Amino acid sequence: MRRAIELAKRGVEAGDGGPFGCVVVRDGAILGEGWNRVVASNDPTAHGEINAIRAACAAEGTFSLAGADIFTTGEPCPMCLAAIHWARIDRIVYAFTHADAAAIGFDDSAIMEQLRLPAEQRATPSLAAPPELRIAALEIARAWFARPDRVQY
Amino acid sequence: MRRAIELAKRGVEAGDGGPFGCVVVRDGAILGEGWNRVVASNDPTAHGEINAIRAACAAEGTFSLAGADIFTTGEPCPMCLAAIHWARIDRIVYAFTHADAAAIGFDDSAIMEQLRLPAEQRATPSLAAPPELRIAALEIARAWFARPDRVQY
């Protein structure tokens, strides 16, 4: 966690983005590091956790970080929580909480509240394409499932 | 959507990952495209939507895609939904639904169910670091908020 805090500090000093640093660790070794670079990289997905997961996966040559823990300076947002799930990470350790962040003016709880609503009640409209496009897209999904060499991620 | 389906088809044929293609559109013009490359790039975050958002933001030189719509072959997972929120995208259009995907064997509803639980009830343990690390991390967050040149993302 001290390393994650150092990365957050460096990122803030550089003006890279929010105050979030992150390391992915397995068996006492750092597999990957990241910090928030949303502003510096013009990438809204460049949160510390996402960057650390990407770095760890690149270093390990796999999309699975099973057996690893993620240390992050702030409790992860829903995007990062879901990414942690997709990466099969075992445990999350955070320094400050969502409530801490909200108290100093950085409140991302609206995203979680939105996700908890049914799609049709969310602020961002979610619309179904015409049926013939649904059928065409499903055909590709079925083709993928039928592939004998399909890699399940 | 036809372009998103084409990207999904190409991705599946190349063995890049799941059957998901995506385009970000504003005022009738495609700003960015993506398809699932989790397997090809060993990156669990490389969903079609994330890749399309990253491409669109890189092309536009901004972390905000306000005014844009996202067309995706499959209803977005929670990671992508939250990324769509962070990117300030206006509307989502999808071809097949979560239920369609689940019916043919690709069920990601567990992630949403997990997110809807309080952190302490989730399958992935989420642990608070010792208080002195919380305080150290919060100090950096406060420093960020105090910066006069802070860019809010």
Side-chain angles (χ1 to χ4, degrees), chain A residues 18-43:
Chain A
F20 303 98
C22 187
V23 293
V24 174
V25 175
R26 188 165 50 205
D27 300 331
I30 290 179
L31 303 184
E33 302 184 333
W35 61 94
N36 187 296
R37 298 194 72 247
V38 169
V39 175
S41 63
N42 283 321
D43 178 358

Side-chain angles (χ1 to χ4, degrees), chain A residues 6 14 17 23 26 31-33 36 43 60 72 81 84 97-98 101 120 124 129 132 134 144-145 151-153:
Chain A
E6 192 182 318
V23 293
R26 188 165 50 205
L31 303 184
E33 302 184 333
N36 187 296
D43 178 358
E60 296 290 300
T72 177
L81 281 174
I84 287 165
T97 65
H98 286 303
E120 62 277 13
T124 304
E132 66 271 22
R134 169 172 167 251
W144 183 60
F145 271 94
V151 179
Q152 194 72 46
Y153 57 84

Side-chain angles (χ1 to χ4, degrees), chain B residues 8-139:
Chain B
K9 186 165 190 281
R10 195 183 296 178
V12 165
E13 283 169 359
D16 285 351
F20 304 98
C22 188
V23 293
V24 174
V25 175
R26 188 164 50 206
D27 300 330
I30 291 179
L31 303 183
E33 302 184 333
W35 62 94
N36 188 297
R37 298 195 72 248
V38 168
V39 174
S41 63
N42 283 319
D43 177 357
T45 74
H47 286 200
E49 296 93 327
I50 300 283
N51 292 343
I53 288 169
R54 291 168 56 98
C57 286
E60 295 291 298
T62 168
F63 51 76
S64 169
L65 298 171
D69 296 336
I70 192 163
F71 291 78
T72 176
T73 55
E75 212 178 346
C77 84
M79 176 176 73
C80 295
L81 281 174
I84 287 164
H85 180 104
W86 284 115
R88 303 181 172 81
I89 285 173
D90 278 18
R91 289 189 307 177
I92 301 162
V93 185
Y94 59 87
F96 61 80
T97 65
H98 287 303
D100 287 333
I104 60 170
F106 195 89
D107 189 358
D108 64 9
S109 61
I111 303 182
M112 189 62 94
E113 284 163 22
Q114 286 289 312
L115 289 192
R116 285 179 167 150
L117 294 172
E120 62 276 13
Q121 290 176 27
R122 292 186 194 130
T124 304
S126 188
L127 314 165
E132 67 271 21
L133 297 175
R134 170 171 167 252
I135 288 162
L138 263 177
E139 195 178 304

